[in-house]
Amino acid sequence: MKTFTFAVLPGDGIGPEVMESALAVLQKSADRHGFALKHEEAPVGGAGIDQAGKALPDATLDLCRRSEAILFGSVGGPKWENLPPAEQPERASLLPLRKAFSLFANVRPGLLYAELCPASPLKSERIPEGIDMVCIRELTGGIYFGEPKTTRTLEDGDIEAIDTMVYRKSEIERIADVAIATAQGRTKKVCSVDKANVLETSVLWRKVVTEYFAQKAPEIELSHMYVDNAAMQLARDPNQFDVILTENMFGDILSDEMAVICGSLGMLCSASLGVGKNAHDLPFGLYEPAGGTAPDIAGQGIANPCAQILSAALMLRHSFGQDQAASEIESAVRQAVTDGFRTGDIAFGKEAVGTKAMTEAILERL
Ligand code: NAD
């Protein structure tokens, strides 16, 4: 029997609550499809600080290294907000994990079911069938990591800060590959977003993407858009996009815009794929909901488990090659919502169910 091993890092706030739901769904999926899942759990974020003195304890990192993927909850909360910035749960756990596993590709589906249109700040008539798109963001290059990165006092007493935006052809090609693979399973339409009218890195980005797509995937319809226009177009008509491919900072901003137009954070999942391959010759990845620890509702049993469950489905697809199992989970979540099961964040006047009842509804439909 095929066996997949993954690290479970539930984190803080609603993290452990929704993680329980995701694990139940994964187990049922494994039973149905005849593969085995082995997981071990370890503290991260605030739980890591409380139990082992730091947000990413050594034992947690060791567990991740022994695993083929990481299923991550979310980290942080008021209890740890007064720590120095470098020790804060998010910064001191997610960033080192991204670095340790060279997680260069952030895959963020932007999905809004038609029946949840009221959750979007956009007028429902603009998105009558909801929203279905994916943002592929380069995650380890660009202005967040380029050197020099410094602040200095000049001879005339003025102060200057410098960030450097750097991209290599090889970095652009490997993220283009992820966009190609994603588009192959969808409508074969990719929009590459840059600022090629101003930035050297964007001129290279556009050239490399154009040449790479022509060579590797000529069947995919590739378009280009400046980032300022993309921000407007997302708010005006999001369904003109299917797959957006973009660099780190532009992706940071656009993927959050995409999240807000898709309504509740409780429905949005993400994958961060690494350069390394696991024992199944598939990418090592970290899978997590787009939202945070929701301290306002933590511990009440009312969090929406869908984002965590959909993140688990992404893990099955990308790191374990179980595309059909992943699609079934996605359909079960959709069917539960269509059948009227809603947690408070997506209820809109309908009766709201708690985390457990929502999970049960999804399990029944799987
Ligand atoms: P948040 O995403 O935790 O919450 C924003 C709003 O969305 C809240 O009203 C919350 O109740 C709601 N929400 C989020 N997920 C939900 C779910 N699954 N079901 C129902 N409602 C949900 O953002 P915030 O309040 O800005 O941050 C809270 C803490 O989370 C902070 O400490 C922040 O640093 C941390 N955070 C962590 C991550 C991460 O671990 N990747 C990401 C974002 C924020």
Side-chain angles (χ1 to χ4, degrees):
M1 188 189 273
K2 259 197 176 167
T3 302
F4 305 109
T5 63
F6 61 105
V8 171
L9 314 187
D12 311 312
I14 60 167
E17 302 170 38
V18 293
M19 187 62 83
E20 206 181 309
S21 306
L23 292 176
V25 169
L26 280 172
Q27 192 51 55
K28 178 145 190 187
S29 178
D31 294 345
R32 275 179 52 74
H33 286 271
F35 57 81
L37 291 170
K38 268 174 59 183
H39 71 265
E40 249 180 80
E41 199 170 308
V44 73
I49 295 170
D50 290 353
Q51 291 176 42
K54 59 180 179 173
L56 184 62
D58 296 344
T60 301
L61 185 57
D62 281 348
L63 168 65
C64 295
R65 288 195 199 285
R66 282 184 274 117
S67 306
E68 295 172 326
I70 303 169
L71 189 59
F72 195 94
S74 37
V75 293
K79 185 174 174 192
W80 306 280
E81 259 164 20
N82 294 324
L83 289 172
E87 293 170 31
Q88 296 267 338
E90 233 183 307
R91 183 155 160 195
S93 62
L94 272 170
L95 292 190
L97 279 172
R98 276 186 197 164
K99 196 162 171 213
F101 296 100
S102 303
L103 302 175
F104 73 97
N106 187 233
V107 179
R108 267 236 228 164
L111 188 62
L112 174 72
Y113 307 147
E115 51 271 45
L116 294 184
C117 278
S120 174
L122 297 188
K123 290 192 186 107
S124 293
E125 59 260 34
R126 296 224 157 187
I127 42 170
E129 280 158 31
I131 297 171
D132 184 2
M133 59 187 290
V134 184
C135 181
I136 309 289
R137 165 189 169 197
E138 202 290 327
L139 205 55
T140 49
I143 201 165
Y144 295 163
F145 298 99
E147 295 287 346
K149 187 178 211 36
T150 186
T151 303
R152 61 190 178 198
T153 304
L154 303 173
E155 277 174 10
D156 63 3
D158 207 351
I159 302 172
E160 177 177 83
I162 302 172
D163 293 293
T164 308
M165 194 163 191
V166 190
Y167 267 108
R168 288 178 177 214
K169 182 179 176 211
S170 52
E171 288 176 291
I172 301 169
E173 286 182 345
R174 73 180 180 189
I175 191 76
D177 251 339
V178 178
I180 288 171
T182 307
Q184 304 282 22
R186 298 178 53 95
T187 62
K188 298 196 168 61
K189 225 175 93 178
V190 174
C191 179
S192 172
V193 172
D194 61 40
K195 189 73 184 167
N197 49 347
V198 178
L199 297 173
E200 281 298 314
T201 43
S202 281
V203 172
L204 180 68
W205 181 279
R206 193 173 281 218
K207 179 173 184 296
V208 171
V209 167
T210 304
E211 290 171 1
Y212 198 72
F213 272 67
Q215 184 198 344
K216 297 274 174 178
E219 73 283 8
I220 288 181
E221 185 189 326
L222 174 69
S223 60
H224 300 274
M225 196 179 277
Y226 297 139
V227 63
D228 40 351
N229 188 24
M232 286 193 291
Q233 297 299 330
L234 259 180
R236 200 183 65 80
D237 175 19
N239 284 323
Q240 70 185 281
F241 299 107
D242 188 53
V243 175
I244 288 183
L245 162 64
T246 192
E247 62 88 60
N248 202 345
M249 180 170 62
F250 300 159
D252 192 3
I253 299 165
L254 292 182
S255 60
D256 268 19
E257 184 183 352
M258 194 181 77
V260 81
I261 63 173
C262 284
S264 174
L265 284 172
M267 297 300 297
L268 297 176
C269 57
S270 78
S272 298
L273 307 178
V275 287
K277 294 272 197 279
N278 62 27
H280 308 281
D281 205 27
L282 289 163
F284 182 94
L286 181 149
Y287 301 86
E288 57 170 336
T293 56
D296 51 336
I297 57 165
Q300 299 175 33
I302 57 171
N304 186 343
C306 293
Q308 191 75 58
I309 291 171
L310 293 169
S311 301
L314 286 184
M315 176 174 79
L316 291 182
R317 175 172 295 126
H318 291 285
S319 286
F320 302 158
Q322 300 298 317
D323 195 51
Q324 203 196 332
S327 299
E328 279 181 15
I329 292 174
E330 288 159 355
S331 301
V333 170
R334 179 166 204 147
Q335 196 57 51
V337 172
T338 304
D339 291 346
F341 289 88
R342 310 279 169 88
T343 43
D345 55 318
I346 53 171
F348 311 110
K350 286 205 163 53
E351 193 191 344
V353 301
T355 310
K356 280 203 161 65
M358 189 75 202
T359 308
E360 276 308 315
I362 294 166
L363 284 168
E364 274 167 23
R365 282 153 185 79
L366 194 58

